Amino acid sequence: MKFNAPKRHLREGFKNIGRSGWMTFASISAVTVMLVIVGFFMIVFFNGNHIASTIEENVEIRAFIERGTDEAEITELMEEVETEYDVAEVEFIDKEEGLENLIASTGGEDYWGSLRDDNPLRDALRIIATTPQYTEEIAESIGDHPYIGRVSYGEEIISDLFTITNTGRIAGAIVIGALLFTAMFLISNTIKLTILARKNEIQIMKLVGAKDSFVRWPFLIEGMLLGLLGSIIPILLISFGYTYLYNESASFLQGVPYELLAPNLLIIQLSSLLVILGLGVGIWGSVMSVRKFLKV
């Protein structure tokens, strides 16, 4: 009868999970706790990045057109802006529409409404850069055009805004990276302890002539199972917890122009990342642990 090595490795991997008892429980618990922490900070990071991107995308340039510029020249100006600059959107806003927008946004019908008969505003172009970080550069360049009288793009705060959002992204990435490193270190060390308890078994197998791959595979499968089992609770907590938070956020974020990421895609992405991370640290911990005992 032909020996089925893959089936044997799989069977031994599952048997090792049940055989280790409390060490298996400790390994799964370590994976669970660290993945819950990593998952929580990933949610914060992804939503923070989403809000920062939303803020950046709302940064716009208002280029006020010189009085006396005719329709043909405005059309020429818009075509030039669209072709020569990296912009996502160019919209013409005549001075009547600009005044109505001003009245609607300020609620100042009593004050601003009287200006309808003698509108002091200028026609303008509303411009949004494809890359928000280039807003200042584009605005300064457009401001030199002969048809443009003045450019406004929130120059007083835009530099600080991009500095804050970029710093937040970098800080978040560093925190996530540090947590991932810590998680891999703690989890792999816990898995090492489960394998360390069976070092005699590994050494006996080597003494009777077993190949390294034959010894290693059951422990690799065991490590994968420990990582997979440890990722189940974090995924469930994130799925139900974040869905509840998203539904409740509609009330406490009312009136705020930003919202959390929709749970469907975020949960799928985070669940995939946690499963991959759990499997990865399980395999890595097993490989590192078994390797030192294969030299007999």
Side-chain angles (χ1 to χ4, degrees):
M1 183 175 66
K2 188 176 180 179
F3 179 67
N4 192 330
K7 185 180 293 186
R8 180 264 173 193
H9 298 328
L10 191 62
R11 183 177 64 251
E12 287 298 313
F14 275 95
K15 284 174 62 177
N16 290 342
I17 289 287
R19 187 189 307 165
S20 299
W22 282 105
M23 291 305 298
T24 294
F25 176 77
S27 297
I28 294 175
S29 298
V31 175
T32 298
V33 171
M34 291 307 302
L35 292 186
V36 167
I37 296 173
V38 170
F40 170 77
F41 276 95
M42 281 185 172
I43 287 175
V44 174
F45 175 73
F46 287 152
N47 276 286
N49 187 59
H50 170 66
I51 292 173
S53 297
T54 303
I55 294 173
E56 291 173 347
E57 288 167 2
N58 288 331
V59 173
E60 62 182 38
I61 301 167
R62 285 296 176 105
F64 296 95
I65 301 171
E66 290 280 17
R67 290 186 175 89
T69 306
D70 61 34
E71 186 175 335
E73 290 171 330
I74 292 174
T75 301
E76 177 189 338
L77 172 62
M78 293 181 65
E79 290 176 351
E80 187 175 330
V81 171
E82 289 177 337
T83 55
E84 292 191 12
Y85 301 98
D86 185 18
V87 296
E89 183 180 348
V90 179
E91 178 186 3
F92 173 72
I93 301 174
D94 63 39
K95 61 182 183 179
E96 285 76 20
E97 182 183 351
L99 180 59
E100 294 302 325
N101 291 339
L102 178 62
I103 293 171
S105 63
T106 62
E109 175 67 39
D110 295 338
Y111 180 78
W112 299 108
S114 62
L115 298 176
R116 287 192 177 96
D117 296 332
D118 186 19
N119 191 339
L121 302 183
R122 298 184 185 184
D123 295 333
L125 296 182
R126 173 178 171 270
I127 303 167
I128 297 179
T130 303
T131 304
Q133 284 75 13
Y134 293 149
T135 297
E136 183 175 2
E137 179 181 331
I138 293 173
E140 291 177 351
S141 181
I142 291 174
D144 294 331
H145 197 283
Y147 296 156
I148 300 297
R150 182 172 65 86
V151 173
S152 173
Y153 59 94
E155 52 268 33
E156 298 85 2
I157 63 171
I158 193 170
S159 179
D160 291 338
L161 170 65
F162 289 134
T163 299
I164 292 170
T165 55
N166 289 334
T167 301
R169 288 190 177 101
I170 294 171
I174 291 173
V175 170
I176 293 295
L179 281 172
L180 289 176
F181 176 79
T182 304
M184 292 185 70
F185 178 76
L186 292 178
I187 294 170
S188 64
N189 277 336
T190 306
I191 293 173
K192 284 179 184 179
L193 293 176
T194 67
I195 297 175
L196 182 64
R198 296 201 302 277
K199 65 177 181 179
N200 292 335
E201 175 186 339
I202 297 172
Q203 291 171 346
I204 290 171
M205 293 173 68
K206 284 292 296 178
L207 288 171
V208 297
K211 293 183 178 180
D212 289 352
S213 59
F214 186 84
V215 177
R216 184 182 291 118
W217 267 107
F219 291 101
L220 289 178
I221 293 172
E222 180 182 356
M224 291 172 63
L225 290 172
L226 290 173
L228 184 62
L229 291 172
S231 66
I232 292 174
I233 293 178
I235 289 172
L236 292 176
L237 285 175
I238 287 173
S239 299
F240 291 106
Y242 185 74
T243 301
Y244 174 79
L245 175 64
Y246 180 82
N247 293 333
E248 291 297 313
S249 69
S251 59
F252 64 79
L253 290 179
Q254 189 172 6
V256 178
Y258 313 110
E259 61 180 16
L260 300 178
L261 286 167
N264 293 342
L265 181 59
L266 179 63
I267 289 172
I268 292 173
Q269 291 176 335
L270 276 181
S271 298
S272 301
L273 284 173
L274 293 179
V275 168
I276 292 171
L277 182 60
L279 291 173
V281 295
I283 293 172
W284 187 55
S286 297
V287 169
M288 294 296 103
S289 304
V290 174
R291 187 176 61 177
K292 65 183 297 184
F293 299 125
L294 291 177
K295 299 175 182 178
V296 178

